[in-house]
Every structure is written in C-alpha cells, then in structure tokens.
Amino acid sequence: MSNYDLKVCGGTVANAAETFQADVGIRDGRIVAIGKDIGGAKRVIDASGKLVLPGGIEAHCHIEQESSGGIMTSDDYYSGSVSAAFGGNTCFVPFAAQHRGQSLRKVLETYHGRAKPKSVIDYSFHLIISDPTDKVLHEELPEAIAQGITSFKVYMTYDKLIVDDSQMLDIFAVAKKHGALTMIHAENNAMIKWMSNKLVDSGHAAPKYHALSHPRSAESEAINRAIELAGFLDTPILIVHVSTEAGARIIAKARYQGHKVFGETCPQYMFLHADQMDLPDMHGAKFCCSPPLRDRASREEIWRCLQNGTFQVYSSDHAPYRFDETGKLHAGPRPDFRKIANGLPGIELRLPLLFSEGYMNGRITLNHFVALAAGNVSRIYGLDHRKGSITEGKDADIAIWDPGVTRIARAKDLHDNMEFTPYEGMEIRGWPTTVIRGGTVIVENNELKAKRGDGQFIARRTIDCTGMPGRLAPELDPTMNFGVDLGL
Ligand code: URP
Ligand code: ZN
Ligand code: ZN
C-alpha cells in the first residue's frame, strides 16, 4: 500500500541541531513522516550512503534586476532558479529594487510578473528602498509587509541608491512598528568616492584599484553607524556581505551589548582574494564586487568568524554580469574601475563550496552547514513555518548530498547565464545530486526535472524578536515615561 507520494529512504538526515538515520515520507508536497518502517510509497528514492538535508535557501541574490546604472543582470528567474536548484537550493529570496521615483506597488508587481512564470524553485523578495517618501513609508511598505515581504535592503553608498541617516531612521521606525528586518549595505560613501577620484585622477584606473577605493575602514565606519542608528530604535538589522574581520568584530561586540544585529558573509570573501583583480586584459573586472575582495589573510579571518557564529547568514550575493558590453564592460572595453558593473556570480556553487571546504575539510560540522544552508535564514527571514528543516508538517524541500562525488568547478557545467565563474578550477568534494521541492524531484541524474513556473511565492512571517536581547540601556526606554508618544 502507498502511504506516500514519495519516500526518501536509507539516508542520514541532518537538521541544524540533530543528525539521525531515518526514512522521510512525503505526501501532497509536505513531509508527513520521519522514522523507520513508515510504510510504502508510490516512488522510493534510495539515499543510502548519502546525506538528506533541508533544501538550501539562498537569501541574497540579484535576479532579473536592473542595477541603478540601468544594467540588467544576466540571469532571469528561469536561469537563476535553475542554477540555484542545481546547487542544492529549493527556495530563494532575490531583491525587488525600487529606483528613485518608483512606487513599491509597481516594483512588486513587476517582480512578481518576472518570477511567477519562470521560477523553478520557491521564492520571495526583499525590497530595496532607495526613495523613502511618506507614501512609501506609511502606505506602501506596511502594505508590502502585510503581503509577506518582511525584509528590505538599504544602501549607505552608491549615488543612486544611498539613503542618508535620517532616511535610515525613518525606515527603521517603519520596520520596528510592522515587524520587518532591515538589511544594510554598509560602506561609507564619502570615503569610497574620495578614494576613487584620487586614484583615477592619479592614473590608477585598472580593475585592481577597485579594492583600494573601498577601504576596510569604510566598511567599519558604516557598520558602526548602522548599528548605532538601529540600536537607538532597538530594531533588528542584518549587515550584508561583510568582507572584513574588523566589520565582523563590530557586529559580535554589538550583539554582546544587546543590539539586534545579524551578520552575513559570502563565498567570495572566503575563497577569492584581491590579487585576482590584477588579471591582464581587463579580466580583473570579473572579480570586481562591493565590498571588494580583500587579501589572502582576510579569507582566514572571515572563515573564523563564520566558524564562531559571528555570521549567521552565508549567501552568494549572486550578481551576474557577463564579461562583455551587456555587463562588466557596459561602459566600454577599458573602463576605469568606477564604471565596471559590480558583482560576482555564485548561486550554484555557494553550497558546494561550503560543503567541501567547510564540512568535508572539518572546518564546520554537518549541522552548522545545514544552519548556514537553510536553518538560520528560515528563522531570520520568517520562512520557518514552511522551510529550513526536515520536520513533519514542513514543505518537502530536500537536497540529497553525495559526499563521494568530486567535481571541478567549470563555468561550462553551471546552469546560470554566465560565461565565467570566479571559482573556475576549484576542486569540490560533495554535491547535491537529487533535489526535491515541495515533494517533486526537480534535479536528478544531472538533469532538470522541473518546469518553468513550478516555484511558488512564499509569504514570509514578520520578524519575531522574542528571545533576542534588547539594548542594555535603550534610549527610547518606554519605562522612562516622559509622556511622549512618537508613534513608534
Ligand atoms: O558587488 C555587488 N555586491 N553587487 C551587487 C549589489 C550589492 O550591493 O549587493
Ligand atoms: Zn550590497
Ligand atoms: Zn547584493
């Protein structure tokens, strides 16, 4: 008799806090049984010798998104989601970017229209807020949060995206009131512009000078400021793509002091280094992203901060721009570094890189791998009612990893719409060989089994601050009762 639509049997199941041998029974897209002798199924997948892990959740990627300079990423919701699926992900949360003058309603309508017919994995969006007008703050943002878009990103740099301190406070106040999380691109704009202009004016315009133009202290200054501004209102924030240990330490110390602050880093700061921006014939442009790659020693520091839990989130920051006039070289064949499209691809290799160098090489445990792959972001971004662990009642989103597979990273084998990978030639041990989304096999035997548009929009929950510490001495302590109601 068939109790289930699908059963994954004989594997080692791991969540963020447990590892055990069990079969997993799936019905109507959900996990309905976990254990031994759970009964028959219409289809059985033998996972003997393999690891049965929650499907990865990619929480920072730029898909079918126009940059503020008007350049479209090379991946749309089809190629981006297919590439994510082959990398062991069953859900992603790309950005829906507001450019100045645009209404959030229209932006969300546009991105829903892009994702729905194409995505093969489940999805949500983070909004990018670049124009926090009264209407945006008091009508459109609360409306978006009510629709399950419970996080948004703000930029402390980039001329066309930057919000000033007072606008950040306005956005934090809305986030606090409605239970949303603000993600922050923390780099000091003035320091970057000042250094960039000095470098170019003195004839230092090659890609490698991009690294010098974004000093480490630009990151530290902005992280400090963001934390103080958010701490003033005691509202949670997440500092994205942290590239320096100094930045990570500021986050760790602030957490100790009771700030509600999370940290994210990315594979480029753990596997790549700034010398790669010095390749001849502009090929260094392939490695330009912001914050920039740092030196080799920094990679070890970032690894340490991942190991010790300073970073709860590990994302690809997949921002795919091809090495041609549609992307990296949109401003001409030899642009100065200020005009090179910023960003690296990495959505497919994010998890295999971490599995190989992190878990297989003994830098992190299997459970820590799962926490970074899916568990932590499911909680932080309000997806844990559906995703993030292999638990009865949750979506049957599963990646079966084979630790016995070794591959060499090659751009030609990847499924994104890029012609290069910055990780070319790296040896990767372990691979997600079967990927299941909502009880349906979407990747198997190196083939895509999913259809365009199979992925569903997931409404995310508001941010639950229960259990998060508060400021030791909040500035706006309600118990002080000055009798002032700021409507916060
Ligand atoms: O260089 C990067 N990271 N480009 C993508 C945009 C961003 O700031 O995340
Ligand atoms: Zn950013
Ligand atoms: Zn990004």
Side-chain angles (χ1 to χ4, degrees), residues 60 62 153 155 158 185 241 269 288-291 317 319 342-344:
H60 184 155
H62 302 268
K153 180 175 176 186
Y155 285 80
Y158 293 128
H185 181 128
H241 48 48
Y269 306 118
C288 288
C289 60
S290 295
D317 193 7
N342 265 220
L344 305 185

Side-chain angles (χ1 to χ4, degrees), residues 58 79-92 121 347-348 415:
E58 166 63 83
S79 60
S81 65
V82 169
S83 187
F86 274 95
N89 299 285
T90 50
C91 181
F92 63 175
I121 61 174
I347 203 164
E348 193 161 338
H415 300 81

Side-chain angles (χ1 to χ4, degrees), residues 1 25 83 211 422 445:
M1 207 189 78
S83 187
N445 298 327

Side-chain angles (χ1 to χ4, degrees), residues 88-261:
N89 299 285
T90 50
C91 181
F92 63 175
V93 192
F95 291 95
Q98 180 205 31
H99 295 299
R100 296 212 174 112
Q102 293 179 337
S103 105
L104 293 189
R105 281 184 199 134
K106 187 86 192 100
V107 168
L108 281 173
E109 196 181 301
T110 301
Y111 280 84
H112 275 292
R114 290 174 180 174
K116 192 172 175 8
K118 295 184 210 150
S119 187
V120 304
I121 61 174
D122 290 346
Y123 58 92
S124 179
F125 308 108
H126 310 286
L127 276 162
I128 287 173
I129 311 291
S130 65
D131 198 3
T133 59
D134 277 351
K135 185 169 171 145
V136 163
L137 290 169
H138 303 301
E139 289 177 33
E140 295 189 326
L141 260 185
E143 191 177 289
I145 296 167
Q147 291 165 5
I149 316 278
T150 53
S151 51
F152 24 84
K153 180 175 176 186
V154 296
Y155 285 80
M156 296 173 79
T157 186
Y158 293 128
D159 284 348
K160 293 185 178 159
L161 294 172
I162 188 170
V163 290
D164 65 23
D165 293 357
S166 139
Q167 290 173 313
M168 281 209 319
L169 286 171
D170 283 341
I171 292 168
F172 290 161
V174 174
K176 180 182 171 81
K177 185 166 179 179
H178 296 277
L181 176 69
T182 311
M183 306 156 74
I184 301 176
H185 181 128
E187 288 188 286
N188 178 296
N189 195 47
M191 290 165 86
I192 294 169
K193 282 185 81 166
W194 189 89
M195 268 303 275
S196 299
N197 293 338
K198 284 267 177 284
L199 283 161
V200 174
D201 291 349
S202 59
H204 301 96
K208 68 178 175 185
Y209 296 110
H210 173 68
L212 272 185
S213 73
H214 287 240
R216 288 159 182 269
S217 45
E219 185 171 82
S220 310
E221 187 283 325
I223 292 178
N224 260 318
R225 184 156 37 101
I227 288 174
E228 286 305 330
L229 292 173
F232 170 54
L233 296 184
D234 199 21
T235 188
I237 55 169
L238 188 150
I239 310 292
V240 294
H241 48 48
V242 177
S243 67
T244 60
E245 197 204 19
R249 274 174 192 252
I250 295 165
I251 293 169
K253 186 167 169 213
R255 284 171 72 83
Y256 175 74
Q257 291 171 332
H259 287 265
K260 297 176 172 69
V261 54

Side-chain angles (χ1 to χ4, degrees), residues 314-327:
Y314 164 79
S315 308
S316 69
D317 193 7
H318 182 74
Y321 298 110
R322 295 170 73 99
F323 186 61
D324 61 23
E325 71 288 350
T326 67

